[in-house]
């Protein structure tokens, strides 16, 4: 009975035996490069050069010609409405 108890203790010891932890492998080169680039940019926040965004010229969202066409349509239709109002009015008879 006692020898049976000892064998159980040996089995428990084997089960609880800690395995060797894996050594930390260094990260791959691309991850190291990205980390380094990120770390360098941290100190540059707010002081980054303008780059390509500054080289681009801002063009208006719509062209000047399109604005002119809309202006002519609006002013012309307003003028036509006023002219129709004065030309079609009847003089009240007294």
């Amino acid at each position: 009975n006692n020898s049976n108890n000892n064998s159980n203790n040996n089995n428990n010891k084997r089960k609880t035996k800690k395995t060797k932890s894996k050594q930390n492998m260094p990260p791959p080169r691309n991850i190291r490069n990205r980390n380094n680039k990120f770390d360098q940019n941290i100190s540059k926040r707010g002081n980054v050069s303008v780059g390509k965004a500054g080289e681009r010229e801002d063009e208006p969202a719509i062209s000047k010609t399109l604005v002119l066409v809309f202006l002519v349509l609006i002013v012309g239709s307003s003028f036509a409405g006023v002219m129709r109002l004065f030309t079609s009015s009847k003089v009240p008879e007294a």
Side-chain angles (χ1 to χ4, degrees):
N1 197 5
N2 197 15
S3 65
N4 196 11
N5 205 6
N6 284 340
S7 65
N8 283 341
N9 285 341
N10 288 340
N11 286 340
N12 287 341
K13 287 181 183 178
R14 286 183 194 148
K15 289 179 184 177
T16 59
K17 184 178 179 183
K18 293 184 180 180
T19 58
K20 290 183 180 179
S21 62
K22 291 184 180 180
Q23 292 180 352
N24 289 338
M25 298 294 291
R29 182 180 298 169
N30 62 345
I31 294 177
R32 279 189 313 231
N33 289 341
R34 282 189 278 161
N35 285 340
N36 290 338
K37 190 173 184 179
F38 179 81
D39 290 340
Q40 290 170 357
N41 280 337
I42 291 291
S43 60
K44 292 182 183 178
R45 297 260 165 107
N47 298 322
V48 179
S49 64
V50 178
K52 290 194 177 201
E55 295 173 4
R56 185 179 59 152
E57 293 180 17
D58 291 334
E59 296 180 8
I62 53 176
S63 67
K64 292 179 182 178
T65 307
L66 193 58
V67 171
L68 184 64
V69 167
F70 284 132
L71 187 64
V72 167
L73 285 174
I74 292 171
V75 172
S77 64
S78 299
F79 182 72
V82 170
M83 292 305 293
R84 188 179 317 135
L85 180 69
F86 286 122
T87 58
S88 65
S89 65
K90 294 183 179 181
V91 177
E93 296 178 15

